[in-house]
Amino acid sequence: MLYPLSYEGWSPAGYRSGHCSGGGLVDGRVCNTEPAMNEQLEFPTGFLWGAATASYQIEGGARDGGRGESVWDVFSHTEGKVAHGHNGDVACDHYHRFDDDIAMMADLGLQTYRFSISWSRVLPEGRGRVNREGVDFYQRLVDQLLAHGIVPCPTLFHWDLPQGLEEIGGFRNRDTVSWFGDYAALMARELGDRVHMWSTFNEPWCYAYLGHAAGVHAPGLTDPHAAVTVAHHELLAHGLAVQTMRAERDDLRLGIVINPSNIVSETTRPADDGQIRLIDAIHNRWWFDAIFRGHYPADLLDSYGPLADAIQPGDLDTISQPLDWLGINYYFDIIVRGLDHDDDATRRMLAYPTVHGVTEADEAEIHTDMGWPITPDGLTELLVRLRDDYPDLPPIHITENGCAYDDPVIGGRCSDPRRIDYLDRHLRAIKDAIDAGVDIRGYYQWSLMDNFEWALGYDKRFGLVHIDFDTLVRTPRDSAYWYRDVIRHNGLVERRTGAQ
Ligand code: GCO
């Protein structure tokens, strides 16, 4: 998700964890408040447990079955864009191995599976001609999931825009909004008899700002006006898709997946407050205010000025469709240590147009392999904040949460205590939010298996299941079996095996 904090040259500088949830370093000091990890925790009856993936990250089969090119094919094949020159041509080869993968999901006890549909697999040019083979692939996938009693939860857009649409302006072009509406309606027609739970977009902030301002994701632009235009058109496309899907069927449960973060300020200069509020507006309020209040944050509109000239009268009415659920992806809090107004706009801040440089921070922290701090308490705070700030919020599903650790397979087993520890802490944080009255209905671990981690290639391993990318052999890690127990017991029953 937040590549600015981890992408080469975008170290966690400027950000750090201010939270302490049992062990670890906070403010450079050891924090010894050990949480009660062996306390039993039962989740509400009917809570849905699953894992998540995304099409470009796992499918491979890039040239198979009539699939058209996407922006990520082009980006990853452009020299210097992805670490080690990795690309998603083969990925986990899930396109050919989905039967076995679903059997594995069933073995691991998953009750639900969140995946994304590759738009260019079903509509190779993004509009017009339907590729039956592509549609059939998703029909077989869904049928297999259902045969194993696993609830499918597809996402329509997880960043792999058809290249044919990119060539005519991508989501900078307002016409793409209606093509997305057509694509959404097609999928509702093809799968809506069997699939009820859908999300339109995954993390639209990332596609808009990492893809069009910071340039570290496809399509790789560094143009703030393009980024803000895309941020608006994605929401407009979301609202339109909700309308076109509901026009096809009235029994679908429709949502969107956002990646909010607490923006925790540790700066002492009052002059920085406005800048920090802008980061919060760009990252959080833009999305939630538009969807759940029907307007964009006034402070951000003022700051953007002509950057936000794509907004037209009536757009916010389309965007603010009532939703059946909301997906929240959470990895860590953004802690701003300080803002340096004398600094030239640095690369990392391009993802926050109109905000100026963030100062460097020290590295004395526990981080995952992504360089991300571990801030489980932040998840509780965030969920409570959303509930308090947006009274009309629909039920929440945590649609992604997880960590990258590269623990090796030794003798056929992969012991990954740090992942178990991370997941344990975050599940406890979610339970705290439920106890505080937030309506949370499900949890999807990111990710079912190691996969193509965007600009970072295959080195960052988020999987419950280890993938050997030479042989494509799947080896469930200890965390996968631990998670199976969590699912069986509808909660946490044993003391974590984790270590720092
Ligand atoms: C995102 C995406 C996932 C990532 C995951 C880890 O949040 O960026 O939804 O595709 O792989 O978040 O970075």
Side-chain angles (χ1 to χ4, degrees), residues 72-93:
W72 268 96
D73 294 303
V74 173
F75 189 77
S76 64
H77 282 271
T78 305
E79 211 189 316
K81 296 298 185 192
V82 174
H84 316 296
H86 289 169
N87 60 61
D89 287 1
V90 177
C92 306
D93 197 32

Side-chain angles (χ1 to χ4, degrees), residues 21 140 338 357 407:
S21 197
R140 285 183 287 131
D407 295 305

Side-chain angles (χ1 to χ4, degrees), residues 1 3 54 57 114 158-159 202-203 206 329 331 370 372 400 446 451 453-454 462:
M1 36 105 63
Y3 285 104
Q57 295 184 272
R114 174 174 179 253
H158 201 126
W159 311 345
N202 174 74
E203 302 193 1
C206 292
N329 291 354
Y331 292 88
M370 293 292 278
W372 294 343
E400 283 181 31
W446 182 271
N451 58 47
E453 180 55 26
W454 306 111
F462 278 87

